Amino acid sequence: GAVVSQHPSWVICKSGTSVKIECRSLDFQATTMFWYRQFPKQSLMLMATSNEGSKATYEQGVEKDKFLINHASLTLSTLTVTSAHPEDSSFYICSARRIRGSNEKLFFGSGTQLSVL
Amino acid sequence: DAKTTQPNSMESNEEEPVHLPCNHSTISGTDYIHWYRQLPSQGPEYVIHGLTSNVNNRMASLAIAEDRKSSTLILHRATLRDAAVYYCILRDSTSGTYKYIFGTGTRLKVLA
């Protein structure tokens, strides 16, 4: 099956620093990728939709200046958590949408556990 | 908001079939029904999806109601490795762009 690679799988950083998370679709081109965050024992919460070559679309309540998304190519989207604080600690998951004709599927990365000290 | 509702949790004995229900009463005619599952500390994994007809693959079967307002994921013989949170999701196009909103999912516990 299709593979989406997410890196790093975990990161620990100091408060105030920025962290970049990469999401790559390895064997298909993805014009659309999605970024989710997940707190323990909770479901995935959609943060933003990343569109190749254009600005990301953020969900209500998600700060675009805090969570910078760049989708510069058809196989790579990045999420940068700027000036991270302890409340940003969470499990971040990316997903790439693969379209074949009228059929579409999502393929997810393995997630990034962010811990801000 | 999520367009699907599922029971919070279910239990099954190992080697027995499991039927995981999902209600999606507001589904539109072009929405596929997708099922994913998530193991602890991992990203969701694709299970199956369908539009109108029942679907089978090596992992599971998907039974879709005739009016498409509900569906059931069927694991024919549950194993301990099937213990996960199962999500039924639809594509949301109400905002003009396509996106996938997750509901609470069903936490499946498999008893040895």
Side-chain angles (χ1 to χ4, degrees):
Chain A
V3 177
V4 171
S5 173
Q6 185 172 343
H7 179 81
S9 55
W10 59 270
V11 58
I12 302 172
C13 70
K14 292 182 179 179
S15 188
T17 60
S18 294
V19 174
K20 180 186 282 189
I21 303 170
E22 291 188 349
C23 181
R24 294 179 186 273
S25 56
L26 298 184
D27 53 359
F28 66 98
Q29 294 183 331
T31 55
T32 304
M33 292 186 177
F34 302 95
W35 286 96
Y36 296 84
R37 69 186 296 184
Q38 185 176 34
F39 293 108
K41 303 292 186 185
Q42 294 186 23
S43 183
L44 284 74
M45 184 190 80
L46 180 65
M47 299 175 66
T49 302
S50 170
N51 302 298
E52 187 268 336
S54 64
K55 291 183 180 180
T57 304
Y58 291 82
E59 293 301 299
Q60 192 171 11
V62 178
E63 299 175 58
K64 59 181 67 175
D65 294 331
K66 173 77 171 174
F67 300 100
L68 300 180
I69 291 172
N70 184 282
H71 193 158
S73 80
L74 287 172
T75 58
L76 173 64
S77 175
T78 61
L79 168 68
T80 301
V81 183
T82 62
S83 186
H85 291 284
E87 58 265 30
D88 298 322
S89 298
S90 186
F91 191 54
Y92 292 86
I93 307 169
C94 73
S95 173
R97 187 175 75 172
R98 189 187 74 182
I99 300 173
R100 285 183 176 173
S102 62
N103 211 341
E104 66 180 72
K105 280 186 190 179
L106 294 184
F107 293 92
F108 289 83
S110 55
T112 298
Q113 182 63 54
L114 171 63
S115 297
V116 185
L117 304 178
Chain B
D1 290 337
K3 298 169 66 176
T4 62
T5 55
Q6 301 174 252
N8 286 335
S9 63
M10 291 185 68
E11 279 188 6
S12 172
N13 293 319
E14 200 176 9
E15 301 296 314
E16 290 187 357
V18 182
H19 290 228
L20 300 168
C22 180
N23 287 319
H24 29 79
S25 57
T26 60
I27 190 170
S28 72
T30 56
D31 281 345
Y32 278 79
I33 302 155
H34 297 254
W35 283 82
Y36 291 83
R37 71 181 186 183
Q38 186 181 26
L39 298 171
S41 300
Q42 295 187 27
E45 171 190 30
Y46 170 81
V47 178
I48 201 167
H49 77 295
L51 184 62
T52 55
S53 304
N54 294 343
V55 185
N56 299 294
N57 65 22
R58 63 176 180 80
M59 288 181 72
S61 295
L62 176 60
I64 301 172
E66 198 169 331
D67 63 6
R68 300 207 332 121
K69 293 186 177 182
S70 65
S71 61
T72 302
L73 178 70
I74 303 166
L75 306 179
H76 295 286
R77 291 178 63 190
T79 70
L80 296 177
R81 288 179 293 180
D82 291 323
V85 179
Y86 287 78
Y87 295 99
C88 161
I89 58 175
L90 304 180
R91 187 178 65 184
D92 182 338
S93 56
T94 54
S95 62
T97 59
Y98 295 137
K99 56 187 179 183
Y100 291 83
I101 307 295
F102 279 71
T104 56
T106 297
R107 185 175 298 275
L108 176 65
K109 186 175 181 180
V110 180
L111 306 175

